[in-house]
Amino acid sequence: RFQGTHFSKLAASNCFCICLLMIYIFGLPLWSYLANQKMGYFEELCTTPAQFVQCGDGRNYTEIAESLGRRRPDIGLVGCTCGEGVFGDHACPVVQNGKIASFISSQFSISYYIATPSGTGAMAALSFFPLLFVWGYGLGFNAEVESHVMKKISPSKDLLGTSTRLSFVFWTQVMFQVLYGAFLFSTVCIAPTMHTILVGGFVVAEVCHFIAMASLIGCETTSAKIVFISIIAVVSILALGFGLRYVSSLNGTFVGLYAFHYAECLSFSLVLLLNPALMYLSDSFSAASVKPTLPEAKHTLLGSKNRVPAHFREPSQDEKHENAIA
């Protein structure tokens, strides 16, 4: 139970892990520039002649490589095609044309930057603990879930049944975890179509998961309202970022290049930040309204093992009668 402090250590740890992940995903354009360009890793990891690299936004990659000074003694002007470099190339959203798959986009994205082995590994490592906290809250270990969800519900009001709804919460999170793992495995450079399907799948699974959580907590609670508002915001931000790719006047501009990437970053962050937010609300709730257990009541409130305060025990028949008369 999250009791004792206004903001539990668990929620604080969650926030710290999420902040590390946010620094990583929001900073991917910068990390790509620093690693590939500034630190010179393009000389070792990028092996494609610049004339064979295309930009999805229509710019000339050879001219970009010339301006960046990307030359190798054995190749001349060199480019980082999809999957090469420490992270996806910051110079432009490059096109991957191969026998296995073809990937064309005029926008940067998280998937684009982490399509390299090092990018995927860092994403998996930094998202591990934030997603672990999603499991911890979603499966009903939180004090608010215990007090609001695990209580006895009248069958006439609970049409689906508490066990059925808890199962739905569990399996939507399982689905998300499986699809997210497959998303990291099937990078956009190797299987772009499958990658896109997997992204859509885990987004839908997690949205369903949190909607089910809000229903279990109680739609009238502050926690549930925060969940609903956050989910609406997530879907709206993703739709806006995706829709901007079809505005031709923005092609090649900062907004056109980075809108979808930062929309993904913000949406993913909002979903993960729901967990510490719910923990915070639960901590406040439990500290104010969750009563101590019977052993705690014996020792901490009375200092006696033989008596229990009236408000922690079942009233006697005489007390019930007196209360009824009053």
Side-chain angles (χ1 to χ4, degrees):
R1 290 179 183 273
F2 302 112
Q3 299 182 28
T5 60
H6 191 60
F7 192 87
S8 69
K9 292 181 179 179
L10 185 59
S13 301
N14 193 355
C15 283
F16 176 75
C17 295
I18 293 172
C19 285
L20 291 180
L21 178 60
M22 290 174 65
I23 290 171
Y24 175 66
I25 59 177
F26 276 94
L28 278 170
L30 176 61
W31 312 142
S32 175
Y33 167 74
L34 292 176
N36 292 344
Q37 188 65 31
K38 203 69 175 177
M39 299 175 68
Y41 278 102
F42 76 88
E43 296 180 0
E44 298 293 333
L45 301 177
C46 301
T47 60
T48 306
Q51 63 266 30
F52 298 124
V53 182
Q54 295 176 281
C55 292
D57 59 353
R59 287 181 290 168
N60 188 305
Y61 191 91
T62 303
E63 294 178 357
I64 295 175
E66 181 74 46
S67 66
L68 293 175
R70 291 188 173 180
R71 290 184 178 275
R72 285 180 48 161
D74 56 338
I75 297 177
L77 286 176
V78 67
C80 298
T81 190
C82 195
E84 293 185 340
V86 179
F87 301 102
D89 196 357
H90 75 283
C92 74
V94 300
V95 175
Q96 169 72 14
N97 289 319
K99 295 180 179 179
I100 298 178
S102 296
F103 167 68
I104 302 175
S105 177
S106 61
Q107 293 180 310
F108 292 109
S109 64
I110 294 177
S111 298
Y112 171 83
Y113 284 114
I114 68 168
T116 62
S118 50
T120 301
M123 185 69 178
L126 291 172
S127 62
F128 174 80
F129 281 107
L131 294 179
L132 181 64
F133 282 111
V134 173
W135 278 96
Y137 187 86
L139 294 181
F141 299 125
N142 184 278
E144 187 174 16
V145 175
E146 289 183 31
S147 57
H148 285 289
V149 179
M150 304 305 290
K151 64 185 178 182
K152 185 177 181 181
I153 301 176
S154 171
S156 62
K157 295 181 180 180
D158 186 21
L159 299 179
L160 293 176
T162 304
S163 60
T164 301
R165 292 193 289 173
L166 285 172
S167 296
F168 184 78
V169 169
F170 173 79
W171 287 110
T172 50
Q173 188 60 28
V174 170
M175 185 180 299
F176 167 84
Q177 199 69 51
V178 171
L179 294 174
Y180 182 76
F183 148 82
L184 292 176
F185 175 80
S186 304
T187 65
V188 73
C189 293
I190 296 176
T193 301
M194 179 60 67
H195 181 88
T196 303
I197 294 172
L198 292 170
V199 171
F202 76 65
V203 168
V204 171
E206 196 68 350
V207 167
C208 292
H209 170 78
F210 276 106
I211 290 176
M213 279 301 305
S215 173
L216 284 168
I217 294 172
C219 295
E220 74 285 353
T221 63
T222 302
S223 298
K225 292 175 182 177
I226 290 177
V227 171
F228 286 130
I229 293 172
S230 299
I231 293 302
I232 292 172
V234 165
V235 174
S236 300
I237 292 169
L238 284 176
L240 177 62
F242 184 79
L244 288 175
R245 74 167 59 194
Y246 298 105
V247 180
S248 57
S249 60
L250 295 176
N251 190 33
T253 66
F254 180 86
V255 174
L257 289 171
Y258 294 99
F260 185 65
H261 169 70
Y262 288 115
E264 285 185 311
C265 294
L266 185 57
S267 298
F268 194 31
S269 301
L270 281 175
V271 169
L272 295 177
L273 285 169
L274 276 174
N275 300 293
L278 293 174
M279 289 178 190
Y280 176 87
L281 291 172
S282 174
D283 185 55
S284 301
F285 173 85
S286 59
S289 61
V290 175
K291 297 177 180 179
T293 59
L294 190 57
E296 293 172 338
K298 290 180 180 179
H299 294 281
T300 63
L301 296 180
L302 286 181
S304 170
K305 298 182 180 180
N306 299 321
R307 291 187 59 196
V308 180
H311 56 283
F312 287 112
R313 60 177 170 79
E314 184 72 18
S316 65
Q317 293 296 328
D318 293 337
E319 288 173 337
K320 289 181 180 180
H321 180 67
E322 292 174 3
N323 291 336
I325 295 176

